[in-house]
């Protein structure tokens, strides 16, 4: 039996992992405690509010996002945060689901506690993992940016948006599938190019123009004012020295001893920070502490966080009550409790994001034709496809050939019983002779299945295409396919439907597009 992941235990059996976290998202008193703690301790609102408000305006996010950013200067304002890398055209679908989830979470907390809660999306512009962000997928097609100078070394926010990269975007726009949102989607992708300058800048504009009107505040951690505001954090991080990697390693060992796979590895000579050298991102080691401290004082804008320290820096810059986390992030956070305490901080409440699989009419039609449920389609093996084909043909070739094999094997054994009485040496031929007959039966079975597949090729192709759209490469759709395909075909209505639908944290849903009177049918599964 497959062992549950850290994320699955966090959602379904929190008690088994409570020792790795400070707060439980299901406990109302934890929310109230965290809300008071953040309001009492947050001090950077007046420092970050104006730079973030100006940034929202530059992105074209709309007045609601600008006002939300400015409200950070007001005592009592808190934030719910999420984040992701700057993938091509926003990357996999779950990027948008996280943004929708943080909007919903902020609205719900504001209504429940009568507080000012702003939704924040932390765009990882400082990340230099080019291979993670340089591509996206549609059903049956991959889009990939050509490598700009410095790819894999420079942060996404410092990579130049080359002409070749823009050509990829224009080709994507040209190839958008027909649908109610095709024109609007193309205009959205094109308009965000103006003033972008970098891949991260383009993605920031896409998110701001898509959800800024809902109040989503985009944070670019490479904004100089934010780096400057983190100067005390840089100094404190470097002062901790080897304690940070030691605590992360210790937490990983404890998780491994309890039967889980640690997600976060940190070399013992690392500080948890990077620095920029000629715009290239380089890990700062413990041997470079003196140099790092000089940078923290003189050029704090050259420093940035690793995956291990980003959550803490984020919670210093923002009044973070909660963070909307994906499965991988929950696993990372499970190793950070002691690091938070080392810095005198409390972990935020971690909301496990919900997930969605979008089902288009073509896939629904295939499911009905083959009399399959969505989970059955995900698990469908070739043998099951062959059996269903035989059923369509009106006879079960598997059973007929199995019966024939059983009957012949029995009669073959009886024959050689008599032959052995005639000539004992003939008994030596029995196994070889039966193997030859068995091979011919297997050959016949293969030919029958080949003919059936050829006869029903169109239906099989439709079945496999449906599975590849719903579970591309055997993965959940949201981890592979990109937003633009579905926006172009169906417009933005389904995003608003998800934004206002009652969704439970940590659960998976199917959303059927274009299938009911209002165009949507949402259900858990």
């Amino acid at each position: 039996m497959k062992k549950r992941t850290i994320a699955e235990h966090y959602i379904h059996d929190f008690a088994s992992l409570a020792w790795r976290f400070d707060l439980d998202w299901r406990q109302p008193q934890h929310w109230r405690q965290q809300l008071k703690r953040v309001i009492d301790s947050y001090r950077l609102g007046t420092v970050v509010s104006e730079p973030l408000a100006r940034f929202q305006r530059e992105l074209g996010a709309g007045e609601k996002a600008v006002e939300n950013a400015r409200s950070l200067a007001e005592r009592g304002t808190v934030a719910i945060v999420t984040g992701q890398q700057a993938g091509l055209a926003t990357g996999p679908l779950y990027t948008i689901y996280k943004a929708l989830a943080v909007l919903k979470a902020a609205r719900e907390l504001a209504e429940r506690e009568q507080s000012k809660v702003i939704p924040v999306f932390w765009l990882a512009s400082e990340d230099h993992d080019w291979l993670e962000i340089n591509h996206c997928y549609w059903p049956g097609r991959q889009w990939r940016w050509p490598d700009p100078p410095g790819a894999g070394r420079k942060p996404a926010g410092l990579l130049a948006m080359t002409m070749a990269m823009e050509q990829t975007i224009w080709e994507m726009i040209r190839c958008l599938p027909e649908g109610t949102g095709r024109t609007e989607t193309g205009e959205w992708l094109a308009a965000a190019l103006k003033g972008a300058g970098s891949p991260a800048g383009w993605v920031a504009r896409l998110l701001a123009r898509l959800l800024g009107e809902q109040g989503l505040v985009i944070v670019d951690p490479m904004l100089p004012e934010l780096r400057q505001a983190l100067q005390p954090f840089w100094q404190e991080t470097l002062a901790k020295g080897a304690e940070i990697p030691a605590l992360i390693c210790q937490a990983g060992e404890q998780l491994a001893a309890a039967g889980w796979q640690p997600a976060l590895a940190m070399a013992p000579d690392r500080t948890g920070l990077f620095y920029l050298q000629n715009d290239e991102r380089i890990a700062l080691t413990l041997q470079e502490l003196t140099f790092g401290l000089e940078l923290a004082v003189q050029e704090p804008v050259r420093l940035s966080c690793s995956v291990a320290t980003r959550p803490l820096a984020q919670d210093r810059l923002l009044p973070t009550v909660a963070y909307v986390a994906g499965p991988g992030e929950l696993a990372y956070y499970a190793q950070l409790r002691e690091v938070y305490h080392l810095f005198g901080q409390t972990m935020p409440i971690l909301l496990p994001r919900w997930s969605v699989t979008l089902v288009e009419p073509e896939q629904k039609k295939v499911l009905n034709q083959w009399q399959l449920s969505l989970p059955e389609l995900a698990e469908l093996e070739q043998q099951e496809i062959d059996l269903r084909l035989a059923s369509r043909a009106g006879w079960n070739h598997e059973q007929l050939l199995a019966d024939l094999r059983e009957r012949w094997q029995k009669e073959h054994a009886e024959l050689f019983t008599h032959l052995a009485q005639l000539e004992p040496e003939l008994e030596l031929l029995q196994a070889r002779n039966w193997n030859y007959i068995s091979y011919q039966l297997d050959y016949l079975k293969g030919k029958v299945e080949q003919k059936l597949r050829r006869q029903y090729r169109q239906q099989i192709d439709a079945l496999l295409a449906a599975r590849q759209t719903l579970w591309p490469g055997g993965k959940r759709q949201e981890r592979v396919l990109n937003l633009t395909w579905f926006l172009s075909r169906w417009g933005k209505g389904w995003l608003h439907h998800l934004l206002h639908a009652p969704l439970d944290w940590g659960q998976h849903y199917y959303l059927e597009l274009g299938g009911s009177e209002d165009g949507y049918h949402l259900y858990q599964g």
Side-chain angles (χ1 to χ4, degrees), residues 75-92:
R75 176 174 168 77
T77 298
V78 297
I80 297 185
V81 186
T82 194
Q84 194 58 43
Q85 294 163 301
L88 174 55
T90 72

Side-chain angles (χ1 to χ4, degrees), residues 176-186 487-492:
L176 284 169
E178 293 296 331
T180 57
R182 189 175 192 273
T183 300
E184 187 180 7
T185 302
L487 278 184
S488 183
R489 294 201 70 194
W490 306 103
K492 296 193 294 186

Side-chain angles (χ1 to χ4, degrees), residues 384-446:
E384 177 65 18
I385 293 175
D386 291 336
L387 285 173
R388 289 176 179 269
L389 286 176
S391 175
R392 288 184 170 218
W395 54 282
N396 189 335
H397 74 281
E398 286 265 2
Q399 191 60 53
L400 285 172
L401 287 171
D403 292 345
L404 179 63
R405 182 186 298 273
E406 183 179 358
R407 186 168 67 251
W408 280 11
Q409 189 169 20
K410 181 179 178 181
E411 292 175 357
H412 187 270
E414 290 177 357
L415 171 63
F416 271 88
T417 298
H418 294 299
L419 290 177
Q421 295 173 0
L422 177 66
E423 175 58 61
E425 289 186 5
L426 289 175
E427 190 174 8
L428 300 175
L429 296 175
Q430 181 176 356
R432 188 193 307 172
N433 184 250
W434 175 250
N435 286 341
Y436 178 77
I437 295 170
S438 181
Y439 170 81
Q440 290 297 322
L441 287 171
D442 289 339
Y443 177 79
L444 178 61
K445 180 174 178 287

Side-chain angles (χ1 to χ4, degrees), residues 223-237:
L223 291 175
E225 298 92 338
L226 303 189
R227 295 281 183 97
Q228 187 72 43
L230 283 171
Q231 184 180 51
F233 178 76
W234 304 142
Q235 293 173 301
E236 189 176 352
T237 300

Side-chain angles (χ1 to χ4, degrees), residues 259-431:
W260 286 294
Q261 179 66 42
L264 192 56
M266 187 174 178
D269 67 336
R270 296 297 174 90
T271 62
L273 300 181
F274 286 82
Y275 67 93
L276 289 176
Q277 185 73 40
N278 298 322
D279 285 345
E280 294 187 3
R281 199 162 180 250
I282 302 168
L284 186 65
T285 65
L286 293 174
Q287 289 72 36
E288 300 170 299
L289 275 179
T290 302
F291 169 64
L293 287 167
E294 289 174 358
L295 286 181
V297 173
Q298 299 170 14
E299 299 180 89
V301 295
R302 288 177 60 188
L303 292 172
S304 63
C305 296
S306 69
V307 67
T309 53
R310 186 268 305 160
L312 292 103
Q314 175 182 278
D315 297 348
R316 288 286 184 93
L317 279 176
L318 301 165
T320 309
V321 170
Y323 184 86
V324 175
E329 290 169 311
L330 288 172
Y332 286 154
Y333 271 99
Q335 289 178 248
L336 293 180
R337 187 170 187 257
E338 289 75 17
V339 179
Y340 264 90
H341 296 175
L342 179 67
F343 281 78
Q345 295 177 230
T346 299
M347 297 178 77
I349 291 171
L350 297 171
L351 287 169
R353 71 167 176 84
W354 35 260
S355 59
V356 179
T357 296
L358 301 174
V359 184
E360 300 174 285
E362 298 93 330
Q363 291 106 50
K364 187 65 178 175
K365 181 180 178 181
V366 168
L367 290 166
N368 291 336
Q369 287 176 339
W370 288 79
Q371 297 182 327
L372 287 167
S373 67
L374 283 158
E376 285 173 339
L377 178 59
E379 302 296 328
L380 196 63
E381 300 287 346
Q382 185 60 53
Q383 185 178 10
E384 177 65 18
I385 293 175
D386 291 336
L387 285 173
R388 289 176 179 269
L389 286 176
S391 175
R392 288 184 170 218
W395 54 282
N396 189 335
H397 74 281
E398 286 265 2
Q399 191 60 53
L400 285 172
L401 287 171
D403 292 345
L404 179 63
R405 182 186 298 273
E406 183 179 358
R407 186 168 67 251
W408 280 11
Q409 189 169 20
K410 181 179 178 181
E411 292 175 357
H412 187 270
E414 290 177 357
L415 171 63
F416 271 88
T417 298
H418 294 299
L419 290 177
Q421 295 173 0
L422 177 66
E423 175 58 61
E425 289 186 5
L426 289 175
E427 190 174 8
L428 300 175
L429 296 175
Q430 181 176 356

Side-chain angles (χ1 to χ4, degrees), residues 8 52 69 83 163 179 188 322 439 448 450 453 456-457 512 518:
E8 289 169 334
L52 285 178
M163 186 177 295
W188 170 64
Y439 170 81
V448 170
Q450 185 183 68
R453 291 172 198 160
Y456 294 98
R457 186 73 263 167
E512 293 181 9
D518 65 352

